[in-house]
Amino acid sequence: MFCLMTLHTPSREVTGPATLKPEKPFDSLDPQKQPGKIIFRQELEYSISMNSLFFINWLHDKNANQLNLLQYLKYKSVIDNNLNFSLSNCLVHNLGIQYYFDSISKFYPDDNTLSTRLMLKIKSPCNLIFTSALLSRWMPGYDYYITDSGKTVKTLSSSFLTPLFWNLSFGIDLTWKDWGSLTLGVSSARLTYLRDKRIFDLRKVNEYYGVIKGKNHLFEYGLSMQLLVNRELLKWFHWDCDLSLFKNYKASVDVNLKNILGFRINKFLKTTIQTRVFYEEKICRNVQLENLVAVGFYFNL
């Protein structure tokens, strides 16, 4: 049995020291809004679900199918003057408990992202933009192996801030109302940091996520692109897509795609299909694909 419960709080706008009122999500392209006023908006979304997960060419799990209990938290705040300035911060927390059919359990997924977008509007749809994104996990992650004697052993694969990814970008943003945006990072950088340097000895490797043994970080400079789609169609279908590309001048393109399709069956029943495609040559030369399907109860507050 699958279940999905979602709690969503409406947006709030602040236009003065003591003015706080619920309102529809702020639309920076609405000509009826008075320009120049500082608008503050915040949103909170939470969901919990049971689902099934299927892997194809996944690096650590070797196509192992399992059941999951998954929770999702998203908090977003926006400061906008509806004229030429916008500052947004977004925290996304995605944590699951994974149960294998052979009774092994672990924390997966464990994705935590803190992103900031500072945008200066030039002329619709073009904007100057600076973005920052921090990505790490909270709980320790392990790879499980079966020895020749049939004993199950585990090896640490990641932990809090091991690794930590920090992506920085400055460039041009193209925004289309009711669809999403395309960001071209003409000057981009990525920092990979390992807090726990024991990972090299535990995994018996001399390089991990591109970081050489004896060091704790890797800094890369290059170009980037991000495509964000957030589109609702026919009141029952929602498409959410996040495609990120990063090109180090000395390496091949890194690809990270997260695509979510949501189908509203009725007022209290919803189906979501989440697909993630990941490719980074220095980690694995295979394209990794993850599919997640959730069906169950759904409600908004």
Side-chain angles (χ1 to χ4, degrees):
M1 178 178 181
F2 302 96
C3 67
L4 173 65
M5 295 183 291
T6 300
L7 174 65
H8 179 77
T9 61
S11 305
R12 295 181 180 270
E13 289 190 358
V14 179
T15 58
T19 304
L20 184 64
K21 60 179 181 179
E23 191 172 317
K24 294 182 179 179
F26 176 65
D27 182 0
S28 61
L29 300 179
D30 188 351
Q32 297 180 355
K33 297 288 185 178
Q34 296 182 4
K37 286 188 176 181
I38 299 297
I39 305 296
F40 174 74
R41 175 171 62 91
Q42 55 183 348
E43 300 175 1
L44 176 65
E45 182 178 350
Y46 177 79
S47 66
I48 183 170
S49 64
M50 292 182 61
N51 50 67
S52 59
L53 193 63
F54 302 95
F55 288 100
I56 300 175
N57 289 330
W58 202 247
L59 178 61
H60 299 295
D61 295 280
K62 303 302 182 184
N63 301 333
N65 298 328
Q66 64 266 184
L67 297 176
N68 299 271
L69 175 64
L70 178 68
Q71 74 167 0
Y72 173 83
L73 172 69
K74 179 180 180 181
Y75 173 78
K76 183 178 182 180
S77 65
V78 179
I79 299 176
D80 197 328
N81 67 354
N82 194 27
L83 186 63
N84 57 4
F85 170 82
S86 176
L87 174 64
S88 64
N89 293 279
C90 184
L91 173 65
V92 177
H93 167 69
N94 200 10
L95 179 65
I97 299 178
Q98 201 172 56
Y99 176 74
Y100 288 77
F101 298 119
D102 57 3
S103 299
I104 294 176
S105 61
K106 63 178 183 178
F107 291 100
Y108 186 86
D110 187 357
D111 302 322
N112 304 275
T113 304
L114 176 61
S115 58
T116 300
R117 292 169 64 91
L118 174 61
M119 186 164 60
L120 299 177
K121 303 173 185 178
I122 304 175
K123 184 178 180 181
S124 180
C126 295
N127 311 283
L128 287 177
I129 190 169
F130 170 78
T131 63
S132 170
L134 290 166
L135 304 90
S136 183
R137 63 179 294 140
W138 286 106
M139 310 300 294
Y142 298 93
D143 289 337
Y144 291 83
Y145 304 95
I146 305 297
T147 63
D148 294 336
S149 60
K151 181 181 178 181
T152 300
V153 296
K154 62 181 182 180
T155 303
L156 184 71
S157 62
S158 56
S159 61
F160 179 62
L161 301 183
T162 306
L164 166 71
F165 300 105
W166 188 11
N167 299 317
L168 300 168
S169 176
F170 174 79
I172 302 295
D173 176 82
L174 305 175
T175 301
W176 294 276
K177 183 180 178 181
D178 298 329
W179 275 98
S181 64
L182 174 65
T183 301
L184 303 176
V186 296
S187 180
S188 302
R190 179 170 62 184
L191 174 68
T192 304
Y193 172 75
L194 302 178
R195 181 186 63 87
D196 190 352
K197 297 175 67 174
R198 299 178 305 158
I199 195 74
F200 296 102
D201 295 328
L202 293 174
R203 301 191 63 83
K204 300 179 181 179
V205 295
N206 294 319
E207 181 179 338
Y208 197 61
Y209 283 91
V211 181
I212 304 299
K213 185 176 182 180
K215 297 183 178 181
N216 64 355
H217 71 280
L218 170 68
F219 182 80
E220 301 173 88
Y221 183 76
L223 303 172
S224 67
M225 187 196 81
Q226 184 178 32
L227 174 65
L228 297 175
V229 178
N230 192 344
R231 177 68 173 174
E232 186 143 2
L233 300 170
L234 304 177
K235 297 183 178 180
W236 55 268
F237 172 75
H238 187 84
W239 179 27
D240 192 345
C241 178
D242 183 351
L243 170 62
S244 297
L245 306 177
F246 179 80
K247 176 65 173 72
N248 185 333
Y249 292 121
K250 299 180 180 179
S252 59
V253 178
D254 299 332
V255 180
N256 196 332
L257 170 65
K258 187 175 182 180
N259 191 73
I260 301 176
L261 301 177
F263 304 89
R264 181 75 64 83
I265 300 175
N266 56 41
K267 186 176 180 180
F268 299 104
L269 191 61
K270 183 178 181 181
T271 300
T272 60
I273 302 174
Q274 176 176 306
T275 301
R276 183 184 175 193
V277 179
F278 179 81
Y279 176 77
E280 191 168 345
E281 187 179 38
K282 59 178 174 287
I283 298 176
C284 179
R285 293 184 178 273
N286 293 327
V287 176
Q288 301 177 64
L289 175 65
E290 174 189 270
N291 292 306
L292 186 150
V293 179
V295 181
F297 297 104
Y298 171 89
F299 61 89
N300 284 337
L301 293 179

